Structure formats: C-alpha cells, structure tokens
Amino acid sequence: MTSGEVRVIRRQWWVWAIVALVVVVAVAPLVYTWLTNPDDQRLVDLDVYRTGGQMLLDGRPVYDYVTPAPQLLPFTYPPVAAMLAVALAGMSWGTAQWVWTAGIFVALAVTVGFSFRGVLGREELRKYAPWVFGALMVACAYLMPIRDQVRFGQVDILLVALCLVDVVARRPWWPRGFLIGLATAVKLTPGVFLIYLLVTRQWRTFFMAAFAAAVLTLLPFAVIPQDAAGFWFSALLDPERLGANAATTNQSIRGMLIRLYMPDLLTFAIWAVIVAAVGWYGFRGARDAYKAGDSVTAVALVGLMAVLLSPVAWIHHLAWVVVVLAAIVGDGRDPVRLRVAAGVWLFYVVPVPWWGVSLKAADIPGVSLVLGKIVQNGFGLGALALVWLLVSWLPKRRNLA
C-alpha cells in the first residue's frame, strides 16, 4: 500500500463509517427475521456448537448427546471444534446469538474484501471503494447460502474466509497454510485445499497446512481422548448423523444421485466415476488459474470441489459462491462478465431447489417428475455449471478482452 493510498483511506474513514451503517440497516431485516424466530427454531447449528462445548465443560461424551427437542441434532464436527466451542458455551444463549451473527458478517466482509480486490483496487474506482464494497456486502448477504448462515448460525463463511485469505493474502503475517490447516481441522471439507496445494506444488504451504491440521487433530487425543476416538472411529463413519442424505438441501453430487433412488451399489459406482471426473477437471482448472496468477478463481474452483465432491453438502456450504462471483467479475471492466455474474447472483438468491419440490408436488403428468427433479437439484447442477464456467469459459473470455 502506497503513502497516497494510506492518505485516501484516512480521508475516507467517515465514508466507511457511513457505509458500515448503511450495510447494517440493509441487512437488519435478515437478522431480525432469524434472531426473532421461535427459540427452538433459532440458529440451530449454533446451538449444536454450544452443546458440544457444554458437553466438554460438563465432562460428558460429546458425540452421545443431541440438542434439545424438537431439533435433536448431534455434534458432527471434529473434536477440536468442540474444544473451540467451549468459548460459546461460556456465553449466555442471547449473547452467543449476537456475537456469532456479528462474526458471520465480519467473515463475509473479509471474504468480500479479499475476493473483490480486483474491483476495489481499481485506480478510477478508489474514491468510490467504500460504496462499491457496501453494495457488494449487501448483495452477497442476500445470497441464499449466506442467508442460511444467519438462519442456522453456521460456520461456513468463516471457513471460506480462512482459506481465501490464506491463499490470496500478499504478505501474510502468519505462516501461509496455517489457516487452511485450522479450517481443515475444524471441518474436514476444507481439506480439498491440501489437494490444491499439492497439484500446484506449493510445497512449503502444503506442509504447513498439513502440519497444522495434524497437530489440531491429534491434540484432542491428548486432552479428550474418548471423544477423539468416538469421532474418528464411530461418529465420522455414520453419514446419517448429518441428516437425511436424500433431503433437498443436500446439493452434492452424491445427494443429487441419491434422489434418483437407484440401487445403492449403482449409485455408489456412478458417484465414484463422476467424482473422479469432476475432481480431475476442477483441480486441473484450479492449477491452471494458479499458473495464470488468478488465485481468486483457483480458490473459487477448490471451494466448489469442497461442495460437489463431499458426500453431503447442504445449501449453506455453497457460501463459496461469493468467491465465484468475484472470480467472474474480475476487475469489473468486462460488461459480459458483469452480466454473467449478475445472472449467477440472481440464481443463488432465489430458492431454486424448493421450486423443484413444489413442481414435483404439483404432479403435472409428463412434466413434474423429470423437470421437478432437475430444478430440485438446481444449486448442485448450477455448481457443476460454474466449474465449467471458471475452467473453460472464463479464460477464453479473459483472452478476448
């Protein structure tokens, strides 16, 4: 950052303050809706985290307990996540709700700031950067995967921010790779970034990420050995603990195949083949993006791999769509890319999968079943389309521009 940029930021502090206030007002309806929900329906995943932390404080087995009725949700995260959740358990339920919700928007702000750096850093837009940032914050806050972060009190956007910053930060003050390792230890799906680091031959970062993940995974065996063994040798092997795998909210490749209700062995065989093909295509595209110096696109692709290749990926796991939008937008100079980004944004704002459920329920002969299933899988199919868009279409568009 140059001295001139520092002076601009200092002069704009009051503008940033106004923009922050505007963002708060704009997202207030979203926050109000979910934080005034009936108590037993409010931020149910945050309740899972707090329950895990409370079990440790009480000396009870983390993976044998569930949240109170009617949710009855088990703790499904690695044991180090329960250790970190002790801080949440130490708060009152009301305080934890506000602290966690504020944290969601802080993580979103970090994600938007680093993802859309190409637009925000443009010389001709610098004096408007606070307003552009505010508009992007509000637009991303109303994406359905981000709305669900607030609705359920989910951790996904924090994991997105950790992995994104670790990859794209220009001069990190932490050992690069540590944040990816932390995210992987807390929730296993960010482990796809270890594959990315391998295929891009970022050896130093890979070893740091693997070391951090290993230390944080082994630590619970020394501190809470019974819970650690309970997770790795029992709870992890039961995918039904995560919820009904055939539910509409599971938009992974496996979830879409399960909803075809084929024999289990055939479903598994098809899933294995598709996962191998999509993984090869997606990680190859991420490697090419890295070589081209487009680290945001690389992160977007790896994030989509975390969703598509996972056995279970709920709609809120698609928080990576924020980074995908930034990759499509680039520096904001190409109007075609801006229009495509607007279309992708709109697609993930509206509840497409639930339209599919309604269409199936309409029972229109010759239409409802086939079209309903396609629309029901809309976000997952959309993620597959986004992989193609980032791997094949975006580089060609960049060359044309």
Side-chain angles (χ1 to χ4, degrees):
M1 183 177 292
T2 67
S3 59
E5 290 174 329
V6 171
R7 285 195 297 272
V8 169
I9 291 173
R10 286 176 178 170
R11 286 198 301 267
Q12 288 186 333
W13 71 266
W14 60 272
V15 180
W16 282 102
I18 294 173
V19 169
L21 181 60
V22 170
V23 171
V24 168
V25 172
V27 302
L30 175 62
V31 175
Y32 179 80
T33 296
W34 297 121
L35 266 67
T36 58
N37 231 13
D39 193 57
D40 61 4
Q41 302 291 322
R42 191 184 312 157
L43 278 66
V44 295
D45 286 326
L46 175 60
D47 197 20
V48 170
Y49 309 153
R50 291 182 75 250
T51 300
Q54 190 62 53
M55 293 305 102
L56 289 185
L57 291 176
D58 295 345
R60 291 185 284 177
V62 171
Y63 299 98
D64 289 349
Y65 283 80
V66 294
T67 56
Q71 298 300 332
L72 303 176
L73 297 173
F75 192 85
T76 60
Y77 297 83
V80 72
M83 294 170 63
L84 294 172
V86 167
L88 291 170
M91 304 177 189
S92 69
W93 178 224
T95 299
Q97 291 175 56
W98 284 105
V99 168
W100 192 260
T101 302
I104 287 172
F105 285 104
V106 170
L108 178 61
V110 171
T111 303
V112 169
F114 277 88
S115 297
F116 289 90
R117 197 162 53 187
V119 172
L120 298 171
R122 279 174 53 182
E123 181 68 33
E124 62 271 29
L125 293 180
R126 189 165 294 156
K127 65 179 180 179
Y128 304 109
W131 298 106
V132 175
F133 175 83
L136 291 169
M137 270 291 294
V138 175
C140 290
Y142 280 90
L143 290 162
M144 190 172 181
I146 304 302
R147 297 201 307 270
D148 277 1
Q149 303 295 308
V150 182
R151 176 183 180 183
F152 298 115
Q154 255 293 334
V155 71
D156 299 287
I157 190 62
L158 174 59
L159 302 179
V160 171
L162 288 174
C163 296
L164 171 70
V165 171
D166 212 359
V167 171
V168 307
R170 294 191 177 105
R171 300 182 189 88
W173 51 265
W174 61 90
R176 195 184 295 276
F178 174 78
L179 299 184
I180 290 174
L182 172 61
T184 301
V186 169
K187 189 172 183 176
L188 301 178
T189 50
V192 293
F193 278 87
L194 296 176
I195 301 174
Y196 163 71
L197 295 173
L198 278 175
V199 300
T200 55
R201 300 185 178 183
Q202 299 180 63
W203 303 118
R204 186 171 182 175
T205 304
F206 168 78
F207 287 123
M208 172 51 65
F211 174 76
V215 168
L216 292 172
T217 297
L218 293 174
L219 178 63
F221 281 98
V223 181
I224 46 172
Q226 289 184 332
D227 289 313
F231 174 77
W232 290 103
F233 302 116
S234 178
L236 179 63
L237 305 178
D238 180 10
E240 294 300 324
R241 283 179 63 92
L242 299 173
N245 290 191
T248 301
T249 48
N250 183 8
Q251 293 286 312
S252 69
I253 292 171
R254 178 171 172 269
M256 292 187 283
L257 289 173
I258 288 175
R259 285 190 290 274
L260 295 178
Y261 298 103
M262 299 180 292
D264 289 346
L265 185 59
L266 179 59
T267 297
F268 177 81
I270 295 174
W271 176 66
V273 171
I274 296 177
V275 160
V278 171
W280 172 82
Y281 185 72
F283 284 114
R284 187 196 67 174
R287 181 200 61 193
D288 293 343
Y290 168 75
K291 289 181 178 179
D294 189 355
S295 57
V296 172
T297 297
V299 172
L301 279 166
V302 179
L304 290 172
M305 293 298 101
V307 174
L308 291 168
L309 306 186
S310 174
V312 178
W314 310 124
I315 287 173
H316 51 73
H317 292 174
L318 277 160
W320 295 100
V321 74
V322 175
V323 189
V324 172
L325 287 170
I328 298 171
V329 167
D331 61 10
R333 288 186 170 91
D334 185 347
V336 174
R337 289 172 66 175
L338 290 176
R339 287 194 290 270
V340 171
V344 172
W345 173 82
L346 181 61
F347 185 79
Y348 281 97
V349 164
V350 296
V352 172
W354 302 111
W355 290 352
V357 174
S358 299
L359 186 58
K360 286 169 63 179
D363 197 22
I364 304 171
V367 175
S368 287
L369 185 59
V370 176
L371 184 59
K373 281 187 177 293
I374 292 172
V375 178
Q376 184 184 19
N377 296 330
F379 280 0
L381 294 174
L384 286 170
L386 289 174
V387 172
W388 170 83
L389 191 88
L390 296 179
V391 173
S392 297
W393 179 83
L394 188 58
K396 293 176 182 177
R397 187 67 212 172
R398 192 186 296 120
N399 292 335
L400 287 174

